[in-house]
Amino acid sequence: MKITAEQEKAIITKILTELDVDPEHAEIVAEVTLDADLKGFSSHGIGRFPQYIRGIKAGTINPRGDIEIENETVSTAIINGNHLFGHFVAYKGMDMAMEKARETGIGMVGIHDSNHFGVAGYYSDMAIMEDMIGIVTANTEPAVAPIGGKEPILGTNPIAIGIPSNKHYVSVDMATSASARGKLLEAVRRGEKIPENVALDADGRPTIDPHEALKGSILPFGAHKGYALAFMIEIMAGPLVKAAFGKGVTGTANSEVMCTKGDLMIAIDPSKIGDLDFFKNQVDEFIGEVKSSENVFIPGDMEVLNVKNHWDQGIEIDDELYHQFKDIAGDLNLDISDIFSD
């Protein structure tokens, strides 16, 4: 079945409201979740929502409260997320980074004791909309084995970068692994296989079974290059921001344990370096060169197409996810028949 963007936001906010989640937090969770589904990152969209409900029930996600600023300078800060919704905490972190960038040219905000924040590109998009460059990294609980090893130690460690332009949406949002863990979880839910050359089982053998892959490890993208990038992000989103690292990271996939991962939000204001219009024109000139050949895409083009398609045609909800939502609503004695119907 398919639902509209409006229906997705409605079902999320309705359930969170019933669970006494702060309205501001609920609105941000709904916005970020919808953003993922519209862009085509279904593994980080509404399919992740039942995970957040389990977190609330387990007490690992606080439905109300505020962040705590533990350390701050004119261009940096460290935030204790107090185990609130990761979406809310990351939103506040990027907002603070942008505020600092307006003053000094660059703002960098580290986050610890937060939760899974959905799709990283939402927060780099926040910077784009303010004519800034946005960079977002995070670590996750172990899923990737180091090159030459079998035991997962590194996370899938995403990175998102957004750059302002006059004419184009310029954005990359990707895991440093061959697949996001969410895609494996999604494959399990849908009863699907995963592509070849994505994961290894617990014995270090290639597998296309997502169940076995989750017991084993996901390969880094680009072999040693993806591994090296994930390694560096593990440090910048771990020790640098007072968060856990390696095998100490928990709670990004299993929401029934406390989340110990970290996030790093960076905003760069080009207008503090030079002329903003000149910069954006140069970006567009470069993109023009890249697109001088037919059928050339830049980072962000696919997301633009996906957003239009999902706005027009709706967002797919598989049967298993539909039944999960019915169970959640049933536990809350919540009528969602106006949104979902058999």
Side-chain angles (χ1 to χ4, degrees):
M1 67 179 297
K2 288 187 176 183
I3 59 173
T4 66
E6 291 82 2
Q7 287 174 321
E8 176 165 327
K9 284 192 67 175
I11 187 66
I12 290 171
T13 53
K14 193 168 187 176
I15 289 173
L16 293 181
T17 299
E18 189 68 22
L19 288 167
D20 197 33
V21 174
D22 183 291
E24 181 186 7
H25 300 202
E27 179 67 21
I28 292 172
V29 172
E31 286 282 352
V32 179
T33 303
L34 176 60
D35 185 68
D37 283 317
L38 288 175
K39 289 176 179 173
F41 296 107
S42 58
S43 59
H44 287 61
I46 196 169
R48 282 274 183 160
F49 188 71
Q51 170 182 325
Y52 307 144
I53 302 306
R54 291 193 293 273
I56 293 175
K57 291 182 176 179
T60 63
I61 297 178
N62 290 330
R64 290 180 174 271
D66 205 354
I67 61 172
E68 177 185 350
I69 301 171
E70 293 184 336
N71 187 30
E72 185 174 15
T73 71
V74 291
S75 58
T76 67
I78 292 291
I79 288 176
N80 183 331
N82 288 320
H83 296 290
L84 299 162
F85 269 99
H87 316 67
F88 171 77
V89 180
Y91 180 94
K92 291 292 187 180
M94 180 53 81
D95 191 54
M96 181 179 293
M98 292 190 297
E99 182 179 349
K100 292 180 178 299
R102 292 186 190 99
E103 295 297 320
T104 67
I106 186 167
M108 185 176 71
V109 176
I111 297 168
H112 65 89
D113 287 319
S114 182
N115 273 292
H116 189 275
F117 63 27
V119 65
Y122 180 90
Y123 312 103
S124 53
D125 282 359
M126 289 174 61
I128 292 175
M129 290 186 284
E130 295 294 325
D131 277 333
M132 296 186 192
I133 296 170
I135 304 172
V136 178
T137 64
N139 64 2
T140 75
E141 59 191 86
V144 177
I147 294 292
K150 292 192 302 183
E151 182 183 10
I153 296 176
L154 297 131
T156 56
N157 296 5
I159 181 168
I161 304 173
I163 295 177
S165 159
N166 288 317
K167 300 178 181 178
H168 303 277
Y169 173 63
V170 188
S171 173
V172 63
D173 181 1
M174 65 182 212
T176 50
S177 51
S179 169
R181 189 202 314 264
K183 291 188 179 296
L184 272 60
L185 296 171
E186 188 175 54
V188 168
R189 191 183 73 236
R190 293 178 174 179
E192 298 173 348
K193 300 297 183 182
I194 58 175
E196 295 181 350
N197 302 316
V198 163
L200 306 176
D201 65 17
D203 294 319
R205 298 172 301 197
T207 183
I208 58 173
D209 183 336
H211 294 90
E212 295 303 316
L214 288 168
K215 296 175 186 176
S217 65
I218 307 172
L219 294 168
F221 86 87
H224 60 285
K225 295 181 180 180
Y227 162 58
L229 185 55
F231 183 96
M232 297 302 183
I233 290 174
E234 191 77 39
I235 295 170
M236 292 191 298
L240 181 64
V241 302
K242 296 175 62 178
F245 55 89
K247 291 188 282 187
V249 183
T250 59
T252 60
N254 178 10
S255 59
E256 295 180 9
V257 298
M258 282 295 186
C259 187
T260 60
K261 63 104 168 182
D263 312 321
L264 184 64
M265 307 283 168
I266 301 172
I268 301 170
D269 187 349
S271 72
K272 295 296 187 293
I273 300 172
D275 183 78
L276 176 62
D277 289 335
F278 176 80
F279 170 73
K280 292 170 71 174
N281 287 335
Q282 293 281 282
V283 170
D284 289 335
E285 184 176 333
F286 169 62
I287 293 171
E289 288 185 4
V290 173
K291 285 180 168 284
S292 60
S293 299
E294 292 185 8
N295 302 318
V296 171
F297 281 72
I298 66 164
D301 279 350
M302 287 303 301
E303 285 83 351
V304 171
L305 292 174
N306 285 336
V307 169
K308 183 180 186 306
N309 178 60
H310 289 127
W311 268 112
D312 293 343
Q313 299 183 27
I315 297 159
E316 186 71 36
I317 302 292
D318 60 72
D319 290 344
E320 176 59 27
L321 182 58
Y322 166 65
H323 289 299
Q324 287 182 25
F325 268 89
K326 289 199 72 174
D327 290 343
I328 291 169
D331 290 343
L332 296 170
N333 294 317
L334 190 62
D335 183 11
I336 58 171
S337 59
D338 56 330
I339 300 171
F340 287 149
S341 59
D342 292 316

